[in-house]
Amino acid sequence: MSNRLINWFKYASPQTFYPLAGKMIPWFWAFAALFGAAGLTIGFLLAPSDLQQGEGYRIIFLHVPASWMSMFIYLVIAFWAAIGLAFNTRLSGMMASALAPTGALFAFLSLWTGDPRRADKAGAILALVGVVNIPIIYFSVKWWNTLHQGASVSLTKAPSMAALMLWGMLLCALACWMYSIAIALMRVRTIMLERERHTDWVRTLLGEKE
Amino acid sequence: MHWNSLADFLAMGQHGPYVWGSVVVMALLMLAEPILLLQGRKRLIARLRRQYRAERSEARADRQTTSRRSKD
């Protein structure tokens, strides 16, 4: 039991997490490419057209994953921020900062792909406060139902859409997950070097140790 | 395969500009983000190496002056 605890905290140190993250990054890129190719093939080539929205509905294969990601990433940032505040681990703050730009990117993409008329640091407290937006985003589909169709996929009901559409969407969402993890790991490694530049392990790593 | 022709595929039922425009924007941004990250990382590593070297030569110069003074 105590061993397991020690192991977890071992990876909370930037020095041990840095090489581990480096090894994981190519795998997440590979899965991102795999899921992305499968999801887009199903979504753009195989899935049937929508009865009401015709072919234009295919935007969901981009729009829905982007919107989900912007919400999930915010939740993950809040999670790391809370861990950081509770345990005062260095890595948590770095993870939160590494995710913030990618969360913003997906929020932008969600809005961009959601409107046919084209109309570093958030800080731990800010992220925790900002999380109140998540239910607002989640329910926005219901509240502003004149602007946006009702939710086809929700936490409480079985999805109401063709299986191929659903699978295409889920695979695209999974690809965005893998992409976000790969990017966050890449960014956190740079943040580690920057913040830990005065330590011996960074000097040794860059081959500049006396 | 859902489509009968390439033209149908590109037209996206009159939503072509919207759908394909979004595809292009999303692809560009998701390519740009890792490229910018890698560039930033390279810049940081080069900066840190310069900094470390400067610190080392400074330390060496300090040692030399102190050793010369102790001989006098």
Side-chain angles (χ1 to χ4, degrees):
Chain A
M1 191 61 203
S2 62
N3 265 339
R4 205 176 292 164
L5 266 180
I6 289 165
N7 275 336
W8 276 112
F9 279 101
K10 189 181 141 203
Y11 286 108
S13 115
Q15 186 177 355
T16 40
F17 190 69
Y18 185 94
L20 178 71
K23 270 183 219 137
M24 294 192 298
I25 289 167
W27 289 99
F28 284 109
W29 277 121
F31 282 116
L34 198 73
F35 291 140
L40 291 175
T41 305
I42 293 177
F44 277 81
L45 297 181
L46 303 177
S49 52
D50 185 73
L51 188 64
Q52 284 169 14
Q53 300 179 21
E55 305 296 355
Y57 92 92
R58 282 175 210 278
I59 196 71
I60 63 162
F61 298 113
L62 309 176
H63 172 64
V64 173
S67 310
W68 280 350
M69 280 324 289
S70 62
M71 286 196 285
F72 287 143
I73 290 179
Y74 223 133
L75 288 177
V76 178
I77 292 173
F79 166 79
W80 284 118
I83 296 278
L85 288 177
F87 298 107
N88 203 20
T89 42
R90 281 175 298 169
L91 185 59
S92 332
M94 295 178 182
M95 285 306 290
S97 301
L99 283 160
T102 307
L105 172 77
F106 278 115
F108 170 79
L109 283 173
S110 167
L111 294 172
W112 181 283
T113 58
D115 184 4
R117 287 158 303 181
R118 191 85 333 110
D120 160 277
K121 192 176 175 190
I125 306 281
L126 190 67
L128 287 173
V129 172
V131 139
V132 300
N133 287 322
I134 300 294
I136 297 179
I137 298 170
Y138 182 80
F139 289 114
S140 64
V141 164
K142 203 177 275 176
W143 294 339
W144 289 284
N145 58 13
T146 51
L147 286 178
H148 193 291
Q149 66 167 74
S152 311
V153 179
S154 81
L155 296 177
T156 50
K157 284 189 307 249
S160 60
M161 61 198 299
L164 271 182
M165 291 181 189
L166 182 67
W167 276 107
M169 217 166 76
L170 291 180
L171 282 167
C172 285
L174 217 51
C176 285
W177 264 107
M178 298 297 118
Y179 169 88
S180 303
I181 296 173
I183 285 282
L185 289 178
M186 283 169 73
R187 192 177 281 116
V188 84
R189 270 161 57 96
T190 308
I191 293 175
M192 281 174 182
L193 292 184
E194 166 89 56
R195 292 198 191 168
E196 307 263 311
R197 63 185 180 278
H198 301 302
T199 62
D200 276 346
W201 75 268
V202 173
R203 274 170 202 266
T204 315
L205 192 88
L206 298 184
E208 300 287 338
K209 187 87 174 69
E210 286 263 73
Chain B
M1 179 65 132
H2 169 74
W3 306 96
N4 293 320
S5 71
L6 183 67
D8 275 359
F9 180 57
L10 294 177
M12 280 286 155
Q14 290 158 6
H15 294 289
Y18 170 41
V19 172
W20 293 119
S22 296
V23 169
V24 168
V25 169
M26 192 149 176
L28 282 182
L29 286 178
M30 287 176 81
L31 278 177
E33 195 182 17
I35 291 172
L36 291 176
L37 261 181
L38 284 176
Q39 281 177 347
R41 181 181 164 77
K42 258 187 213 152
R43 263 201 308 274
L44 174 71
I45 288 176
R47 200 186 82 209
L48 289 183
R49 287 217 164 111
R50 271 200 307 277
Q51 210 172 306
Y52 292 148
R53 258 170 233 161
E55 279 168 23
R56 255 189 323 196
S57 57
E58 216 169 276
R60 222 176 287 136
D62 278 353
R63 269 200 304 276
Q64 277 169 359
T65 46
T66 45
S67 64
R68 228 173 274 142
R69 253 181 231 146
S70 61
K71 270 180 204 160
D72 289 340

